[in-house]
Amino acid sequence: MNEQNRRTGLDLTVSVFGLGYVGCVSAACLAARGNTVIGVDVNAQKTEFIRQGKTPVVEERIGELIAEVVAAGRLTVTEEVAKAVLASDISIICVGTPSAPGGGLSTSYLERVSAQIGAALAGKAGWHVIAYRSTMVPGTCENILIPILEKASGKQAGIDFGVCVNPEFLREGSSVRDFENPPKTVVGETDERSGAALLSLYDGLPGPRFRVPLAVAEMTKYVDNSFHALKVTFGNEIGALCAELGLDSHAVMDIFLADTKLNISPAYLRPGFAFGGSCLPKDVRALNHTARQHDLELPVLSNVLASNEAQLRRAVDLVIALGRRRIGIFGLSFKAGTDDLRESPMVEFAERLLGKGYDVRIYDANVALSRLMGANRAFIEERLPHIGELLTDDIDTVLAHGEIFIAGTAEPAVVAAVDGLGPDRTVIDLVRLPGAEQRRTRPGYLGIGW
């Protein structure tokens, strides 16, 4: 391991539970960084391999790394849970979380090792950190594992011992390199002390660091893997359609990948409201139509519009659940700063509320102005006459009318209007207005998808 990747400062003793790919690589790499590591596994064959300085997994560089740290005495192994916990400062859990028969997550291994570690903590004085590196769905740690630890130990998490969630981002075949050069380091924590201790194991490694609530850390791995799966599938579907059309799919994707402003970037990846406009819905429909003409099944692309429709329904359902009838809508165009109403999800939203008998008023200064100037007059008068009658460029008119307000634009006048509302008014923020993180603690401030 490169010298610049080694830890500096106080070395810690770490026990690693589960010596499969993740546990074995984590144990070896942490030991190579100068820590004393105790590996624990119920499989005696795995522990014996490591005891002899051999690797129980096939992975680039792991054999030489284990041989080095075992020879140096920095990595030892045991089958005794209590011995490992009592001798270490941090226990990192890397046991498997396989799929259950119904598709859910099996937490049996996590529960078993948590009970064993909790029992060991009952007889240990001093602070100890339990860090879960296993992949588990949000809420598993707080709702299942911490209660097991507390019951078995007779102690309280965050007060007598610390708990962290530390998802790994290792790819089989390059996991040692990925450990040394992580894309990011994420630590969910019950308390600042535990999070700081765990993060110190990764001092000197590149990439951004995040200290977050436990459930946020649990969720990050699922977001990553689901997006990776989506990318593979998207690429394959584009490839299948290109092949039918006689196109070189790699030439097409080379152009796609070259765009790091909109395509391979943070663009469009912030949760919010449905998409619309003159391009996206039309082009997705056209691509799916082309696939059908070639008898080609593209499940991901064919469900993009269905997913978009579901987001719109969620917003309508949220209004219905609130049980009030006077609605103020801020923003009508498909994108803030324009007057373009073509396939605007805000127009569809307003029409559905009107169709259900809601009393609606709409503020959009750009659309109201273009209607007066004639740019959107024909469109509104011919296709949206009922909405045109409810449209105004006077925000105070909408404020005086509404009991529920829908924020579909983040223009300054709307932000100021929302901040001036009393606690008796409800705001459904579809665009995550600036300062939403603080504002969302206010009663009646709701969001879609965030």
Side-chain angles (χ1 to χ4, degrees):
M1 183 168 287
N2 295 335
E3 188 62 35
Q4 62 265 32
N5 282 336
R6 296 183 185 273
R7 273 191 75 246
T8 57
L10 180 65
D11 294 329
L12 296 170
T13 299
V14 181
S15 50
V16 176
F17 289 80
L19 297 174
Y21 271 94
V22 173
C24 189
V25 169
S26 298
C29 289
L30 287 170
R33 306 195 79 231
N35 302 286
T36 299
V37 179
I38 305 167
V40 187
D41 201 289
V42 295
N43 187 323
Q45 188 175 23
K46 286 184 181 180
T47 54
E48 185 56 31
F49 260 73
I50 294 177
R51 191 174 286 116
Q52 297 176 17
K54 301 175 183 178
T55 174
V57 299
V58 177
E59 180 70 27
E60 181 184 289
R61 290 181 54 199
I62 194 66
E64 61 191 71
L65 204 58
I66 287 179
E68 173 191 331
V69 294
V70 169
R74 291 197 298 272
L75 173 60
T76 58
V77 290
T78 182
E79 292 83 35
E80 299 178 42
V81 171
K83 178 181 177 181
V85 171
L86 294 174
S88 59
D89 306 293
I90 299 174
S91 293
I92 298 179
I93 316 305
C94 302
V95 299
T97 52
S99 289
L105 188 75
S106 173
T107 58
S108 58
Y109 299 138
L110 284 170
E111 293 177 44
R112 184 184 308 159
V113 74
S114 296
Q116 292 171 335
I117 291 173
L121 286 179
K124 179 174 182 176
W127 190 258
H128 193 85
V129 178
I130 300 96
Y132 292 96
R133 204 151 164 81
S134 304
T135 302
M136 51 191 177
V137 296
T140 302
C141 190
E142 289 178 280
N143 299 329
I144 298 176
L145 303 181
I146 287 179
I148 290 174
L149 288 167
E150 291 180 333
K151 181 179 180 180
S153 66
K155 299 179 178 181
Q156 188 172 350
I159 296 177
D160 303 306
F161 62 90
V163 178
C164 293
V165 172
N166 178 213
E168 48 81 19
F169 306 102
L170 309 176
R171 298 166 296 172
E172 290 190 25
S174 61
S175 55
V176 173
R177 280 183 283 123
D178 289 342
F179 188 101
E180 296 174 357
N181 295 281
K184 56 186 175 283
T185 300
V186 179
V187 171
E189 57 191 30
T190 54
D191 58 279
E192 186 175 348
R193 175 183 179 181
S194 298
L198 183 61
L199 268 176
S200 72
L201 296 177
Y202 307 113
D203 283 350
L205 295 181
R209 295 179 165 206
F210 300 91
R211 297 177 68 173
V212 295
L214 295 173
V216 172
E218 288 169 316
M219 186 64 175
T220 55
K221 184 63 182 293
Y222 284 96
V223 175
D224 281 20
N225 281 351
S226 296
F227 189 54
H228 298 163
L230 178 62
K231 288 199 294 183
V232 171
T233 307
F234 175 79
N236 287 339
E237 289 195 359
I238 293 298
L241 184 55
C242 285
E244 287 292 330
L245 299 175
L247 307 177
D248 183 343
S249 62
H250 281 242
V252 170
M253 294 305 286
D254 283 344
I255 298 169
F256 172 82
L257 294 168
D259 183 348
T260 57
K261 181 178 181 180
L262 299 179
N263 293 346
I264 310 303
S265 75
Y268 307 120
L269 284 173
R270 296 293 186 182
F273 197 39
F275 64 76
S278 61
C279 296
L280 269 58
K282 171 179 69 71
D283 292 348
V284 172
R285 278 195 294 269
L287 200 62
N288 278 295
H289 178 71
T290 302
R292 288 194 300 272
Q293 286 180 316
H294 289 80
D295 295 323
L296 191 61
E297 185 181 4
L298 303 180
V300 168
L301 288 169
S302 66
N303 280 285
V304 169
L305 292 176
S307 180
N308 202 50
E309 161 67 19
Q311 188 75 339
L312 177 58
R313 285 200 308 272
R314 281 188 280 269
V316 174
D317 290 344
L318 182 54
V319 173
I320 293 171
L322 293 171
R324 282 173 280 179
R325 308 301 299 178
R326 296 200 308 275
I327 311 297
I329 295 178
F330 301 130
L332 192 63
S333 63
F334 96 93
K335 182 183 289 187
T338 79
D339 64 349
D340 195 345
L341 297 176
R342 290 174 292 179
E343 300 211 44
S344 168
M346 293 303 297
V347 170
E348 181 64 24
F349 190 19
E351 287 191 315
R352 293 191 188 190
L353 293 178
L354 288 168
K356 293 180 180 295
Y358 285 89
D359 187 1
V360 177
R361 297 292 183 275
I362 305 167
Y363 165 79
D364 191 313
N366 290 321
V367 175
L369 178 63
S370 71
R371 179 185 62 178
L372 294 174
M373 296 172 59
N376 257 332
R377 174 178 291 180
F379 185 86
I380 293 175
E381 290 179 352
E382 292 175 13
R383 302 190 46 192
L384 307 170
H386 48 300
I387 286 183
E389 295 169 1
L390 309 174
L391 181 63
T392 178
D393 61 356
D394 180 10
I395 199 168
D396 291 332
T397 299
V398 177
L399 287 170
H401 171 80
E403 299 170 299
I404 299 172
F405 295 94
I406 314 297
T409 177
E411 66 173 77
V414 172
V415 175
V418 167
D419 286 338
L421 292 172
D424 58 325
R425 309 286 187 91
T426 297
V427 176
I428 298 177
D429 183 355
L430 302 181
V431 293
R432 197 176 176 97
L433 298 172
E437 188 61 35
Q438 293 73 39
R439 199 181 292 111
R440 68 189 302 179
T441 61
R442 191 189 84 182
Y445 190 81
L446 308 172
I448 293 290
W450 53 264

